[in-house]
PDB file of all heavy atoms in Angstrom:
ATOM      1  N   ILE L 275      22.980 -39.565 123.720  1.00 98.00           N
ATOM      2  CA  ILE L 275      21.776 -40.277 123.294  1.00 98.00           C
ATOM      3  C   ILE L 275      20.609 -39.321 123.045  1.00 98.00           C
ATOM      4  O   ILE L 275      19.751 -39.602 122.193  1.00 98.00           O
ATOM      5  CB  ILE L 275      21.385 -41.396 124.281  1.00 98.00           C
ATOM      6  CG1 ILE L 275      20.988 -40.849 125.651  1.00 98.00           C
ATOM      7  CG2 ILE L 275      22.499 -42.425 124.402  1.00 98.00           C
ATOM      8  CD1 ILE L 275      20.376 -41.915 126.561  1.00 98.00           C
ATOM      9  N   VAL L 276      20.574 -38.205 123.771  1.00 98.00           N
ATOM     10  CA  VAL L 276      19.549 -37.194 123.474  1.00 98.00           C
ATOM     11  C   VAL L 276      19.754 -36.664 122.053  1.00 98.00           C
ATOM     12  O   VAL L 276      18.804 -36.524 121.276  1.00 98.00           O
ATOM     13  CB  VAL L 276      19.593 -36.053 124.511  1.00 98.00           C
ATOM     14  CG1 VAL L 276      18.724 -34.879 124.070  1.00 98.00           C
ATOM     15  CG2 VAL L 276      19.129 -36.562 125.878  1.00 98.00           C
ATOM     16  N   GLY L 277      21.003 -36.399 121.678  1.00 96.00           N
ATOM     17  CA  GLY L 277      21.290 -35.953 120.319  1.00 96.00           C
ATOM     18  C   GLY L 277      20.990 -37.016 119.280  1.00 96.00           C
ATOM     19  O   GLY L 277      20.496 -36.705 118.187  1.00 96.00           O
ATOM     20  N   ASP L 278      21.276 -38.273 119.599  1.00 97.00           N
ATOM     21  CA  ASP L 278      20.969 -39.355 118.650  1.00 97.00           C
ATOM     22  C   ASP L 278      19.460 -39.461 118.423  1.00 97.00           C
ATOM     23  O   ASP L 278      19.001 -39.679 117.290  1.00 97.00           O
ATOM     24  CB  ASP L 278      21.505 -40.686 119.178  1.00 97.00           C
ATOM     25  CG  ASP L 278      23.025 -40.767 119.122  1.00 97.00           C
ATOM     26  OD1 ASP L 278      23.625 -40.049 118.286  1.00 97.00           O
ATOM     27  OD2 ASP L 278      23.608 -41.521 119.914  1.00 97.00           O
ATOM     28  N   LEU L 279      18.677 -39.309 119.488  1.00 98.00           N
ATOM     29  CA  LEU L 279      17.229 -39.353 119.331  1.00 98.00           C
ATOM     30  C   LEU L 279      16.741 -38.160 118.513  1.00 98.00           C
ATOM     31  O   LEU L 279      15.829 -38.301 117.672  1.00 98.00           O
ATOM     32  CB  LEU L 279      16.542 -39.380 120.695  1.00 98.00           C
ATOM     33  CG  LEU L 279      15.013 -39.439 120.669  1.00 98.00           C
ATOM     34  CD1 LEU L 279      14.503 -40.635 119.871  1.00 98.00           C
ATOM     35  CD2 LEU L 279      14.454 -39.472 122.094  1.00 98.00           C
ATOM     36  N   GLN L 280      17.323 -36.987 118.725  1.00 98.00           N
ATOM     37  CA  GLN L 280      16.947 -35.829 117.912  1.00 98.00           C
ATOM     38  C   GLN L 280      17.154 -36.125 116.427  1.00 98.00           C
ATOM     39  O   GLN L 280      16.312 -35.786 115.591  1.00 98.00           O
ATOM     40  CB  GLN L 280      17.774 -34.608 118.305  1.00 98.00           C
ATOM     41  CG  GLN L 280      17.393 -33.359 117.502  1.00 98.00           C
ATOM     42  CD  GLN L 280      18.486 -32.303 117.499  1.00 98.00           C
ATOM     43  OE1 GLN L 280      19.672 -32.624 117.560  1.00 98.00           O
ATOM     44  NE2 GLN L 280      18.086 -31.036 117.435  1.00 98.00           N
ATOM     45  N   ARG L 281      18.250 -36.773 116.089  1.00 97.00           N
ATOM     46  CA  ARG L 281      18.527 -37.093 114.686  1.00 97.00           C
ATOM     47  C   ARG L 281      17.535 -38.108 114.134  1.00 97.00           C
ATOM     48  O   ARG L 281      17.139 -38.027 112.963  1.00 97.00           O
ATOM     49  CB  ARG L 281      19.977 -37.587 114.566  1.00 97.00           C
ATOM     50  CG  ARG L 281      20.984 -36.424 114.704  1.00 97.00           C
ATOM     51  CD  ARG L 281      22.351 -36.895 115.164  1.00 97.00           C
ATOM     52  NE  ARG L 281      23.317 -35.775 115.211  1.00 97.00           N
ATOM     53  CZ  ARG L 281      23.384 -34.883 116.186  1.00 97.00           C
ATOM     54  NH1 ARG L 281      22.541 -34.958 117.220  1.00 97.00           N
ATOM     55  NH2 ARG L 281      24.284 -33.912 116.154  1.00 97.00           N
ATOM     56  N   ILE L 282      17.094 -39.049 114.954  1.00 97.00           N
ATOM     57  CA  ILE L 282      16.076 -40.004 114.516  1.00 97.00           C
ATOM     58  C   ILE L 282      14.763 -39.287 114.238  1.00 97.00           C
ATOM     59  O   ILE L 282      14.026 -39.627 113.300  1.00 97.00           O
ATOM     60  CB  ILE L 282      15.911 -41.123 115.563  1.00 97.00           C
ATOM     61  CG1 ILE L 282      17.099 -42.094 115.453  1.00 97.00           C
ATOM     62  CG2 ILE L 282      14.592 -41.864 115.395  1.00 97.00           C
ATOM     63  CD1 ILE L 282      17.131 -43.158 116.505  1.00 97.00           C
ATOM     64  N   ILE L 283      14.474 -38.269 115.028  1.00 97.00           N
ATOM     65  CA  ILE L 283      13.245 -37.490 114.827  1.00 97.00           C
ATOM     66  C   ILE L 283      13.350 -36.606 113.586  1.00 97.00           C
ATOM     67  O   ILE L 283      12.419 -36.542 112.769  1.00 97.00           O
ATOM     68  CB  ILE L 283      12.960 -36.621 116.076  1.00 97.00           C
ATOM     69  CG1 ILE L 283      12.666 -37.502 117.294  1.00 97.00           C
ATOM     70  CG2 ILE L 283      11.796 -35.660 115.813  1.00 97.00           C
ATOM     71  CD1 ILE L 283      12.682 -36.739 118.622  1.00 97.00           C
ATOM     72  N   GLU L 284      14.484 -35.933 113.409  1.00 96.00           N
ATOM     73  CA  GLU L 284      14.604 -34.890 112.398  1.00 96.00           C
ATOM     74  C   GLU L 284      15.155 -35.361 111.046  1.00 96.00           C
ATOM     75  O   GLU L 284      14.780 -34.817 110.002  1.00 96.00           O
ATOM     76  CB  GLU L 284      15.503 -33.760 112.921  1.00 96.00           C
ATOM     77  CG  GLU L 284      15.001 -33.085 114.191  1.00 96.00           C
ATOM     78  CD  GLU L 284      13.702 -32.318 113.976  1.00 96.00           C
ATOM     79  OE1 GLU L 284      13.420 -31.929 112.819  1.00 96.00           O
ATOM     80  OE2 GLU L 284      12.970 -32.114 114.963  1.00 96.00           O
ATOM     81  N   TYR L 285      16.047 -36.343 111.039  1.00 96.00           N
ATOM     82  CA  TYR L 285      16.753 -36.689 109.807  1.00 96.00           C
ATOM     83  C   TYR L 285      15.874 -37.228 108.677  1.00 96.00           C
ATOM     84  O   TYR L 285      16.219 -37.052 107.496  1.00 96.00           O
ATOM     85  CB  TYR L 285      17.886 -37.666 110.104  1.00 96.00           C
ATOM     86  CG  TYR L 285      19.178 -37.005 110.547  1.00 96.00           C
ATOM     87  CD1 TYR L 285      19.237 -35.632 110.808  1.00 96.00           C
ATOM     88  CD2 TYR L 285      20.340 -37.747 110.715  1.00 96.00           C
ATOM     89  CE1 TYR L 285      20.421 -35.030 111.219  1.00 96.00           C
ATOM     90  CE2 TYR L 285      21.525 -37.151 111.113  1.00 96.00           C
ATOM     91  CZ  TYR L 285      21.563 -35.794 111.366  1.00 96.00           C
ATOM     92  OH  TYR L 285      22.734 -35.198 111.756  1.00 96.00           O
ATOM     93  N   PRO L 286      14.741 -37.896 108.957  1.00 96.00           N
ATOM     94  CA  PRO L 286      13.904 -38.314 107.835  1.00 96.00           C
ATOM     95  C   PRO L 286      13.456 -37.153 106.941  1.00 96.00           C
ATOM     96  O   PRO L 286      13.269 -37.336 105.735  1.00 96.00           O
ATOM     97  CB  PRO L 286      12.708 -38.978 108.526  1.00 96.00           C
ATOM     98  CG  PRO L 286      13.274 -39.517 109.799  1.00 96.00           C
ATOM     99  CD  PRO L 286      14.266 -38.475 110.235  1.00 96.00           C
ATOM    100  N   LYS L 287      13.330 -35.953 107.515  1.00 96.00           N
ATOM    101  CA  LYS L 287      12.927 -34.781 106.723  1.00 96.00           C
ATOM    102  C   LYS L 287      13.957 -34.455 105.653  1.00 96.00           C
ATOM    103  O   LYS L 287      13.630 -33.879 104.615  1.00 96.00           O
ATOM    104  CB  LYS L 287      12.762 -33.560 107.639  1.00 96.00           C
ATOM    105  CG  LYS L 287      11.752 -33.720 108.749  1.00 96.00           C
ATOM    106  CD  LYS L 287      11.801 -32.521 109.682  1.00 96.00           C
ATOM    107  CE  LYS L 287      10.916 -32.725 110.902  1.00 96.00           C
ATOM    108  NZ  LYS L 287      11.031 -31.598 111.863  1.00 96.00           N
ATOM    109  N   PHE L 288      15.215 -34.794 105.905  1.00 94.00           N
ATOM    110  CA  PHE L 288      16.294 -34.497 104.965  1.00 94.00           C
ATOM    111  C   PHE L 288      16.624 -35.676 104.057  1.00 94.00           C
ATOM    112  O   PHE L 288      17.536 -35.595 103.232  1.00 94.00           O
ATOM    113  CB  PHE L 288      17.558 -34.086 105.737  1.00 94.00           C
ATOM    114  CG  PHE L 288      17.347 -32.964 106.714  1.00 94.00           C
ATOM    115  CD1 PHE L 288      17.406 -33.172 108.080  1.00 94.00           C
ATOM    116  CD2 PHE L 288      17.070 -31.677 106.263  1.00 94.00           C
ATOM    117  CE1 PHE L 288      17.204 -32.141 108.989  1.00 94.00           C
ATOM    118  CE2 PHE L 288      16.875 -30.631 107.160  1.00 94.00           C
ATOM    119  CZ  PHE L 288      16.942 -30.859 108.522  1.00 94.00           C
ATOM    120  N   GLY L 289      15.897 -36.778 104.226  1.00 94.00           N
ATOM    121  CA  GLY L 289      16.152 -37.959 103.412  1.00 94.00           C
ATOM    122  C   GLY L 289      17.319 -38.792 103.885  1.00 94.00           C
ATOM    123  O   GLY L 289      17.779 -39.671 103.157  1.00 94.00           O
ATOM    124  N   PHE L 290      17.808 -38.545 105.105  1.00 95.00           N
ATOM    125  CA  PHE L 290      18.984 -39.265 105.604  1.00 95.00           C
ATOM    126  C   PHE L 290      18.644 -40.661 106.107  1.00 95.00           C
ATOM    127  O   PHE L 290      19.496 -41.540 106.117  1.00 95.00           O
ATOM    128  CB  PHE L 290      19.652 -38.489 106.746  1.00 95.00           C
ATOM    129  CG  PHE L 290      20.206 -37.158 106.361  1.00 95.00           C
ATOM    130  CD1 PHE L 290      20.463 -36.190 107.322  1.00 95.00           C
ATOM    131  CD2 PHE L 290      20.492 -36.851 105.033  1.00 95.00           C
ATOM    132  CE1 PHE L 290      20.992 -34.954 106.985  1.00 95.00           C
ATOM    133  CE2 PHE L 290      21.018 -35.613 104.678  1.00 95.00           C
ATOM    134  CZ  PHE L 290      21.258 -34.663 105.649  1.00 95.00           C
ATOM    135  N   GLN L 291      17.419 -40.853 106.564  1.00 96.00           N
ATOM    136  CA  GLN L 291      17.040 -42.149 107.117  1.00 96.00           C
ATOM    137  C   GLN L 291      15.526 -42.309 107.062  1.00 96.00           C
ATOM    138  O   GLN L 291      14.794 -41.341 106.822  1.00 96.00           O
ATOM    139  CB  GLN L 291      17.528 -42.293 108.559  1.00 96.00           C
ATOM    140  CG  GLN L 291      16.963 -41.254 109.508  1.00 96.00           C
ATOM    141  CD  GLN L 291      17.621 -41.287 110.875  1.00 96.00           C
ATOM    142  OE1 GLN L 291      18.828 -41.453 111.005  1.00 96.00           O
ATOM    143  NE2 GLN L 291      16.821 -41.144 111.913  1.00 96.00           N
ATOM    144  N   SER L 292      15.078 -43.544 107.270  1.00 97.00           N
ATOM    145  CA  SER L 292      13.649 -43.824 107.283  1.00 97.00           C
ATOM    146  C   SER L 292      13.017 -43.307 108.573  1.00 97.00           C
ATOM    147  O   SER L 292      13.699 -43.107 109.581  1.00 97.00           O
ATOM    148  CB  SER L 292      13.408 -45.329 107.163  1.00 97.00           C
ATOM    149  OG  SER L 292      13.895 -45.821 105.939  1.00 97.00           O
TER     150      SER L 292
END
Side-chain angles (χ1 to χ4, degrees):
I275 65 170
V276 169
D278 289 336
L279 180 56
Q280 181 201 31
R281 286 156 177 79
I282 284 174
I283 295 167
E284 300 294 337
Y285 275 7
K287 301 173 187 176
F288 306 111
F290 296 160
Q291 61 189 40
S292 297

